[in-house]
């Protein structure tokens, strides 16, 4: 029996209208990363599949065309501002992971942003540093540079420090004078939790001890960011920071989390439950599929490691004054994320507000949950209005927060 691609295309086009039950959006055949292309390019897909329907007289292609047309008319269009963002290398418009090939990218006004890989002594993994050309050794008369520490995603087992859907944001901030530090961590075969967290903590301590001084960075203006698995690591480091458990004291100005895995044990019960048990694979009856993935592939079935790997549980155990020290947080999450459900982010921010006694309005006044309409996991990999809207809103939120802080400190 021959494989008919039109059947698979029809399934993908229909999937644009629903959310794949989390976390099955990360496994074939209905991968979120495939569906997002159909979603963002739905007008083109509709025309293409309609043409194929006419050529092959296929009702399947016709249904795919109609489904994509429905998605195109039903999806809101967001204005592409982007005026404050420098031009991206054309290759990165095909896929933001293409930043991996660049050592220099455009800045503002004809300037350049340099991307330099370092491997400081004492660290088990390298780091990437993004900075404006000529800013690696600025004069002491120049103001200190705000810092952003990025922890990349990749299901704790993949990804890379320079491979990030948010790279256009890092390029923009570096062009505006930020020092971007993107840290790598051990994740290959043999990397046993919590080495991933330990490596991120070590990179943060390097930044505090010497990295900030080396690149003229301002530790009083420190933002931390992470996507997916990186958001999970960010939340764990923030919990350590507010509980003053880090080797050196660190205060964060803000946190940027993109579809973060804040509840890998799925205490919110928002992912598929497995209807069977299998001791060989570590599956327990009614176990969350996300919980199983994390326990089997990340914790390597070492269940005693769960206590160090649950951001939501650690947040729930904070005292009031510790929760109040949690920095202002922006969470960007797609409504139709089929890998990490948006309910996890809602519950995390709600819990944070309740602990800070600001639960009456749902979120703390300094926090924001930006839910992307129809957004999938890593939706920014496609260059379209959804990714541009996410970038612009993230930059606007961070700049507004920093300007309010400066005005309140009498510096603005």
């Amino acid at each position: 029996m021959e494989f008919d691609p039109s059947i698979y295309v029809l399934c993908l086009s229909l999937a644009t209208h629903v959310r794949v039950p989390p976390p099955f959006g990360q496994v074939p055949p209905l991968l979120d990363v495939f569906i997002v292309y159909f979603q963002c390019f739905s007008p083109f897909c509709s025309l293409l599949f309609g043409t194929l329907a006419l050529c092959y007289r296929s009702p399947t292609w016709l249904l795919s065309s109609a489904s994509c047309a429905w998605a195109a008319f039903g999806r809101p269009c967001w204005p592409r501002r982007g005026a404050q963002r420098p031009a991206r290398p054309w290759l990165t418009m095909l896929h933001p992971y293409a930043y991996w090939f660049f050592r220099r990218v455009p800045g503002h006004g004809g300037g350049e942003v340099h991307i330099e890989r370092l491997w400081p002594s004492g660290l088990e993994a390298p780091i990437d540093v993004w900075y404006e050309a000529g800013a690696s050794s600025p004069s002491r008369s120049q103001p200190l540079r705000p810092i952003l520490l990025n922890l990349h995603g990749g299901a704790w087992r993949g990804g890379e420090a320079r491979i990030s859907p948010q790279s256009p944001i890092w390029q923009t901030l570096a062009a505006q004078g930020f020092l971007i530090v993107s840290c790598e961590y051990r994740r290959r075969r043999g990397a046993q939790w919590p080495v991933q967290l330990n490596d991120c903590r070590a990179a943060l301590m390097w930044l505090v001890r010497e990295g900030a001084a080396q690149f003229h960075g301002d530790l009083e203006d420190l933002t931390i960011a992470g996507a997916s698995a990186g958001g999970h690591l960010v939340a764990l480091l923030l919990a350590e920071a507010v509980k003053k458990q880090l080797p050196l004291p660190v205060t964060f100005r803000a946190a940027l989390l993109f579809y973060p895995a804040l509840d890998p044990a799925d205490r919110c019960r928002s992912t598929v439950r497995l209807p069977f048990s299998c001791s060989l694979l570590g599956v327990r009856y009614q176990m969350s599929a996300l919980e199983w993935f994390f326990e089997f592939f990340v914790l390597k079935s070492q269940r005693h490691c769960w206590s160090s790997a649950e951001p939501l549980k650690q947040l729930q155990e904070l005292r009031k004054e510790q929760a109040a020290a949690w920095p202002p947080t922006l969470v960007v999450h797609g409504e139709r994320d089929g890998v990490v459900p948006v309910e996890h982010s809602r519950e995390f921010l709600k819990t944070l507000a309740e602990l800070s006694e600001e639960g009456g309005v749902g979120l703390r006044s300094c926090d924001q949950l930006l839910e992307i309409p129809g957004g999938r996991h890593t939706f920014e990999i496609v260059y379209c209005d959804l990714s541009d809207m996410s970038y612009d809103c993230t930059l606007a939120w961070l700049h507004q927060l920093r300007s309010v802080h400066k005005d309140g400190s009498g510096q603005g």
Side-chain angles (χ1 to χ4, degrees), residues 152-397:
H152 72 81
W156 301 274
R157 304 167 68 242
E160 212 268 346
R162 202 172 307 175
I163 295 179
S164 168
Q166 292 77 41
S167 291
I169 298 179
W170 313 152
Q171 177 189 358
T172 300
L173 291 176
Q176 294 174 349
F178 271 72
L179 171 67
I180 309 297
V181 179
S182 185
C183 83
E184 187 57 270
Y185 48 84
R186 288 170 287 175
R187 50 194 160 73
R188 299 301 182 188
R189 182 174 299 178
Q192 172 65 53
W193 181 270
V195 297
Q196 299 93 331
L197 179 61
N198 293 343
D199 290 347
C200 293
R201 186 189 302 111
L204 173 60
M205 291 301 99
W206 168 83
L207 180 63
V208 173
R209 291 190 178 101
E210 55 183 282
Q214 178 180 344
F215 289 92
H216 206 62
D218 185 2
L219 288 172
E220 298 296 322
D221 194 351
L222 175 60
T223 299
I224 190 168
S228 193
H232 167 264
L233 296 168
V234 165
L236 293 174
L237 283 182
L238 288 174
E240 292 184 9
V242 299
K243 290 188 288 188
K244 303 188 184 302
Q245 293 178 347
L246 293 173
L248 294 173
V250 179
T251 300
F252 293 98
R253 174 71 58 84
L256 306 176
L257 304 178
F258 303 88
Y259 30 87
L262 298 170
D263 186 15
D266 192 31
R267 294 175 177 272
C268 301
R269 302 187 67 84
S270 302
T271 63
V272 172
R273 321 303 287 191
L274 300 175
F276 63 92
S277 61
C278 178
S279 57
L280 180 63
L281 296 176
V283 178
R284 300 182 293 279
Y285 180 68
Q286 288 296 305
M287 185 183 194
S288 161
L290 179 61
E291 178 187 7
W292 172 80
F293 172 87
F294 189 84
E295 184 174 298
F296 190 79
F297 288 105
V298 183
L299 301 185
K300 306 294 178 62
S301 300
Q302 302 297 313
R303 297 177 64 183
H304 66 275
C305 293
W306 270 111
S307 60
S308 65
E310 287 196 74
L312 180 59
K313 182 179 179 182
Q314 293 192 21
L315 176 66
Q316 293 169 342
E317 294 173 350
L318 293 181
R319 298 192 302 271
K320 175 184 175 181
E321 63 274 13
Q322 293 172 337
W326 193 281
T329 301
L330 170 68
V331 179
V332 179
H333 213 136
E335 289 181 341
R336 293 180 181 168
D337 193 318
V339 180
V340 178
V342 67
E343 289 85 353
H344 287 184
S345 291
R346 294 171 184 164
E347 181 64 23
F348 191 88
L349 291 178
K350 176 185 174 184
T351 301
L352 182 58
E354 291 172 349
L355 290 171
S356 304
E357 296 187 353
E358 292 188 36
V361 294
L363 300 181
R364 297 188 304 171
S365 57
C366 61
D367 297 335
Q368 182 174 348
L369 173 60
L370 176 60
E371 295 191 25
I372 305 299
R376 311 279 170 172
H377 203 69
T378 64
F379 64 91
E380 308 102 320
I381 63 172
V382 178
Y383 178 63
C384 65
D385 56 337
L386 282 182
S387 58
D388 277 357
M389 187 259 298
S390 171
Y391 297 152
D392 290 337
C393 289
T394 300
L395 291 166
W397 183 87

Side-chain angles (χ1 to χ4, degrees), residues 125-161:
I127 61 172
D128 279 348
V129 180
W130 302 50
Y131 55 86
E132 191 179 15
S136 58
S137 301
S139 65
R140 294 187 177 182
S141 60
Q142 292 179 325
L144 295 175
R145 299 188 171 275
I147 306 172
L148 184 141
L149 175 65
N150 174 55
L151 310 183
H152 72 81
W156 301 274
R157 304 167 68 242
E160 212 268 346

